[in-house]
Amino acid sequence: MTTLLSLLPLLLVLGLLASGRASALVAGLAGLAATLAASATLVLQADGPAAVALLFRREVPAGLWLSWHVIAIIVTGVFFHRATLARGGAGGGTLGADPLEASPRRLFAVCFLLAPFAESVTGFGVGYIIALAALRRLGIGGIPALLLGLYSQSLVPWGALAIGTTVGATLAGLTPGELGLSSAVLQIPIHAMYLFLYWRFAREAGVAVPALQKLDDALWTALLLVLVWMANRFSDVEIAAAAPTAVLLGVRFWRDERPDGARLRATLRTAAPYVVLTLTLCATRLVAPLRDLLKPLWALRPFDNQPAFAPFYAPGFWLLSIGLAVVLMARAPLAKVAAEAARGAWRACAVTLAFVVMAEFYVGSGMATSIAEALRAVAGRGAALGVPLFAAVGGFLTGSGAAANAMLMPMETALARALVLDPAWIAAVQNSVTANLTMLSPIRVSMGAAILALSTSDAALYRRAWPLALPPLLTGVAAVLVLLFHL
């Protein structure tokens, strides 16, 4: 009875999302209500009314505090994007308007550098929007553009300044850096398989990639992955994708385009908000005196097991500050930009709040542990193979690494402990698989179809796009098998 009651909120959420008749917000609110009722019932039966009151007094503030870290990025990230749009130009002036030849080099830079950079800085599909604009500038449209645009989501464990990884790490009892580093290791085989699929999609889009260029693509992919790993190892997880993609994007532009002084100055002017933001975030994380000044300044940490919030160190402060500067310099109506940002952000904020508070109650009431023990009893050590499948379903249905981690991480790390497996690597499998599967979520695919004005059915789109699910799924299953046979 305890296990069934613990499972019901999760099953309710998955059922509502899978039905296609409920949004992520409706499913999250329904799941939260069911979780509150189930946790209160179980704690009441075990420990009485006083324990229920204590549970709510402890977990509601903890869930709100963890949600705030995500919401601060959502709101300021959307505001920053709206500010760059108000400044003018496609994708906030980063892409230009003149058509370009769809060369293999340019296509690789768009799919693996430009679009993932935009997604890592702002998140929430902004990188996808910029990718589609760039692909259309290269003369690529239709289903090929939709498929290649999905590569904007290929570094989503660090998307939106790694808010999903931060949430997952907190719920798994890890630091964001620890989870980011192990996720970077898993991203190596995932990205290698993405590259092979990319060559096939490029050929279908009419951009054949010759053998020598494939070698070039492979070397740049390896360099990108090494830099992502190093950024996680030696810096903060928030810039672990933004900094490497920005650096390589600049080097690629110089190598491939050979810009003269006028074009270089024009490119820097249009990309200025992103350049300033990246340099600022890197400086606050890599320049020791500045980091040591800002990180403890007015820092708040009301919960020992939750991350601190330092207002002048938080990425949201710089997203907001630079966004405000962009609006003022462009003489755009600030009230209009702020209103557009609020309309664009509120739903994602509400979804995050619902799922994160739901996760806190799963942990605090012992429901996650109850499910893990039941899975272990039924399937033994083989239950661990369900982790990548759960993660894939969560990422696909929610379209959000933060929401999927909040929904599943407590249960899966509890399962790891029950099976005497390393919870840190199980958390990395959950984080990597769920984040990468968000690229195929109905939210992303329908967004691409709407932007490209495709009349193709969803079934036809997924018949072409489904191979993108294989790299994270195969990597996740392989990682779990290594854990099982290593012990």
Side-chain angles (χ1 to χ4, degrees):
M1 179 64 182
T2 298
T3 302
L4 178 60
L5 198 57
S6 299
L7 272 172
L8 280 177
L10 277 179
L11 295 176
L12 174 63
V13 171
L14 293 174
L16 287 172
L17 289 170
S19 72
R21 298 180 180 179
S23 66
L25 177 58
V26 171
L29 292 174
L32 175 59
T35 300
L36 295 178
S39 60
T41 300
L42 292 173
V43 173
L44 179 65
Q45 291 175 347
D47 302 308
V52 174
L54 178 62
L55 175 72
F56 275 72
R57 284 199 304 270
R58 183 180 67 236
E59 302 306 335
V60 169
L64 293 175
W65 179 251
L66 182 55
S67 300
W68 161 247
H69 289 263
V70 183
I71 290 170
I73 297 290
I74 294 174
V75 174
T76 55
V78 174
F79 176 79
F80 177 83
H81 175 57
R82 290 292 177 179
T84 59
L85 290 179
R87 187 170 180 256
T94 63
L95 301 174
D98 298 331
L100 292 173
E101 177 192 356
S103 68
R105 283 188 174 187
R106 284 177 175 148
L107 186 59
F108 179 90
V110 167
C111 292
F112 284 90
L113 298 176
L114 173 64
F117 166 72
E119 188 68 20
S120 67
V121 171
T122 54
F124 316 107
V126 171
Y128 194 20
I129 295 170
I130 290 178
L132 294 178
L135 290 167
R136 286 187 293 184
R137 189 183 175 202
L138 294 176
I140 299 173
I143 293 181
L146 183 144
L147 295 174
L148 291 168
L150 291 173
Y151 277 84
S152 62
Q153 313 298 296
S154 60
L155 288 176
V156 168
W158 303 273
L161 297 171
I163 58 170
T165 296
T166 300
V167 169
T170 301
L171 294 172
L174 304 169
T175 66
E178 289 171 334
L179 185 55
L181 189 60
S182 53
S183 297
V185 173
L186 295 180
Q187 196 66 29
I188 294 172
I190 293 173
H191 237 68
M193 287 184 274
Y194 277 156
L195 184 60
F196 282 99
L197 289 173
Y198 159 79
W199 290 328
R200 169 185 153 188
F201 293 146
R203 184 178 66 251
E204 292 172 352
V207 184
V209 183
L212 190 60
Q213 184 57 44
K214 287 181 178 178
L215 177 60
D216 186 74
D217 291 349
L219 292 174
W220 279 84
T221 300
L223 181 57
L224 172 62
L225 293 170
V226 168
L227 290 178
V228 168
W229 183 88
M230 291 178 65
N232 280 279
R233 175 67 176 82
F234 298 106
S235 183
D236 281 359
V237 68
E238 294 100 325
I239 62 168
T245 50
V247 169
L248 295 183
L249 192 59
V251 175
R252 285 284 296 223
F253 178 69
W254 185 266
R255 187 198 74 165
D256 296 344
E257 305 298 334
R258 297 293 180 182
D260 56 22
R263 188 180 177 194
L264 182 59
R265 287 191 294 272
T267 301
L268 288 175
R269 277 197 303 271
T270 55
Y274 291 94
V275 172
V276 172
L277 176 64
T278 303
L279 290 176
T280 302
L281 290 173
C282 288
T284 58
R285 270 104 187 119
L286 299 176
V287 179
L290 187 59
R291 181 187 65 225
D292 296 342
L293 171 67
L294 296 178
K295 198 167 186 178
L297 187 61
W298 294 1
L300 301 174
R301 190 171 188 176
F303 302 94
D304 291 337
N305 62 339
Q306 299 272 16
F309 183 81
F312 300 109
Y313 186 78
F317 173 79
W318 300 106
L319 284 164
L320 179 61
S321 300
I322 296 170
L324 281 171
V326 169
V327 172
L328 294 175
M329 292 176 67
R331 297 182 180 178
L334 178 59
K336 180 182 177 182
V337 173
E340 290 173 346
R343 285 195 296 270
W346 78 267
R347 186 175 295 274
C349 293
V351 169
T352 297
L353 184 66
F355 279 112
V356 172
V357 175
M358 177 179 167
E360 283 292 332
F361 272 85
Y362 256 90
V363 175
S365 66
M367 291 165 61
T369 303
S370 175
I371 295 172
E373 290 292 345
L375 288 172
R376 183 184 63 80
V378 171
R381 294 177 65 78
L385 291 171
V387 169
L389 300 179
F390 286 132
V393 170
F396 175 79
L397 292 178
T398 64
S400 165
N405 276 343
M407 181 171 66
L408 296 170
M409 189 67 81
M411 177 191 72
E412 292 176 349
T413 51
L415 177 63
R417 286 187 286 271
L419 297 175
V420 199
L421 297 175
D422 187 351
W425 278 107
I426 291 294
V429 170
Q430 160 62 33
N431 187 56
S432 298
V433 175
T434 209
N436 280 279
L437 257 293
T438 61
M439 71 163 58
L440 287 176
S441 70
I443 298 168
R444 292 289 179 272
V445 173
S446 62
M447 176 195 294
I451 291 172
L452 296 168
L454 297 179
S455 57
T456 312
S457 68
D458 288 348
L461 294 176
Y462 278 112
R463 276 198 296 271
R464 296 284 298 278
W466 73 266
L468 287 168
L470 292 177
L473 266 174
L474 292 176
T475 299
V477 170
V480 172
L481 287 173
V482 169
L483 290 174
L484 288 173
F485 287 104
H486 180 69
L487 296 176

